[in-house]
Amino acid sequence: MPTDTLRHKGLRKGMINTLIKKVGITDEKVLNAMNSVPRHFFLDSSLDEIAYEDRALQIMYDQTISQPSTVAFQTQLLNVSPRMKVLEIGTGSGYQTAILQALDLRVYTIERHKGLYEKAEKMFKILNIHPQCFHGDGYKGLPGYAPFDRILVTCGAPQIPQDLLLQLKIGGLMVIPVGDKVQKMLRLTRVNEKEFQQEEFGNYTFVPMLENKTN
Ligand code: SAH
């Protein structure tokens, strides 16, 4: 069981203050959530020293835990209220999932990689948080649990997955990085049954969202 020392807490506070300056995160709820989750718990202990730098880091199977400022930015774009039902695609280390849990949301999360899915679940138990975890293909979403108030995609999608759009409530939002090598951060709002409004928020680089493959 990892520990959250005073040193880690200090580094985390420092990271959050840089976050505020760098990417303009102003939502107090998001900042508090970032402060409450020990990011180093989600990383190999050899990365302990750099867990609170603003950079993406390797987790298992060539995947990455997103940069903290990106996690904060995507979370702020989601514009959540307590108890909303949120679907996350790409559990990965589980760090972003834990941030969503800290915001008092009803979290559903899908990971295509069995090893990552299992490791994240173990960490959630240690932290005594209880998102609903699924091992499967995020392109399909979770039709049996839809509709969702919010959908957050944490891998780079070559295009917008239509199945996910249809699992949004009317008035619901999806935050998703879309593109091949570089992704545009998009926020889509479901205006009515058929119409979606789209906003763009700059370029990012995520690991790819892979189709029709679980391992
Ligand atoms: N939210 C994660 C980010 C992990 S990187 C974190 O905080 O650590 C993105 C993750 O998306 C990877 O773990 C990758 O395996 C997963 N992924 C890629 N394509 C997927 C798909 N089609 N369905 C579900 N997960 C997928």
Side-chain angles (χ1 to χ4, degrees):
M1 161 89 193
T3 46
D4 193 22
T5 62
L6 271 179
R7 177 173 154 71
H8 290 116
K9 290 189 169 94
L11 288 172
R12 193 150 71 241
K13 257 266 166 337
M15 174 187 89
I16 286 158
N17 291 334
T18 358
L19 280 175
I20 302 170
K21 289 190 198 125
K22 219 166 100 188
V23 290
I25 306 299
T26 49
D27 187 333
E28 282 294 327
K29 294 191 309 272
V30 175
L31 296 171
N32 289 338
M34 299 287 294
N35 199 27
S36 74
V37 179
R39 187 172 186 250
H40 65 286
F41 280 29
F42 297 87
L43 291 164
D44 189 88
S45 57
S46 64
L47 299 174
D48 219 63
E49 277 306 304
I50 52 173
Y52 295 103
E53 291 179 12
D54 191 21
R55 52 196 264 201
L57 293 168
Q58 289 288 321
I59 51 175
M60 292 191 303
Y61 309 111
D62 254 353
Q63 301 303 316
T64 55
I65 179 169
S66 303
Q67 215 172 315
S69 58
T70 305
V71 171
F73 187 62
Q74 283 199 296
T75 310
Q76 181 166 273
L77 283 181
L78 266 190
N79 195 18
V80 294
S81 315
R83 308 309 297 153
M84 276 183 170
K85 198 165 149 190
V86 181
L87 173 63
E88 178 195 23
I89 309 298
T91 317
S93 68
Y95 176 63
Q96 170 77 71
T97 320
I99 299 284
L100 296 173
Q101 281 288 146
L103 286 159
D104 192 21
L105 303 167
R106 290 177 290 150
V107 184
Y108 297 74
T109 183
I110 312 179
E111 171 57 51
R112 60 172 281 277
H113 215 299
K114 187 94 192 262
L116 290 172
Y117 154 80
E118 285 170 350
K119 191 157 190 266
E121 266 217 310
K122 275 194 197 131
M123 186 47 72
F124 298 144
K125 289 216 173 84
I126 288 173
L127 291 171
N128 197 24
I129 58 176
H130 306 284
Q132 303 243 24
C133 300
F134 298 83
H135 172 233
D137 180 6
Y139 275 97
K140 301 192 176 73
L142 292 174
Y145 296 85
F148 295 94
D149 296 290
R150 301 288 186 262
I151 299 178
L152 174 60
V153 181
T154 69
C155 34
Q159 67 277 316
I160 300 167
Q162 294 304 304
D163 285 354
L164 291 184
L165 279 181
L166 298 177
Q167 291 175 32
L168 270 180
K169 276 188 191 162
I170 309 289
L173 302 177
M174 172 155 79
V175 173
I176 177 169
V178 179
D180 286 324
K181 284 208 173 69
V182 176
Q183 293 87 39
K184 269 197 175 28
M185 188 68 76
L186 302 184
R187 180 163 67 181
L188 299 143
T189 305
R190 186 167 198 177
V191 184
N192 56 38
E193 244 355 275
K194 289 201 180 119
E195 278 175 287
F196 295 84
Q197 193 190 339
Q198 179 174 316
E199 300 163 277
E200 280 186 27
F201 298 92
N203 290 336
Y204 289 82
T205 338
F206 284 77
V207 294
M209 181 168 181
L210 301 173
E211 199 151 10
N212 287 330
K213 247 175 45 176
T214 48
N215 55 12

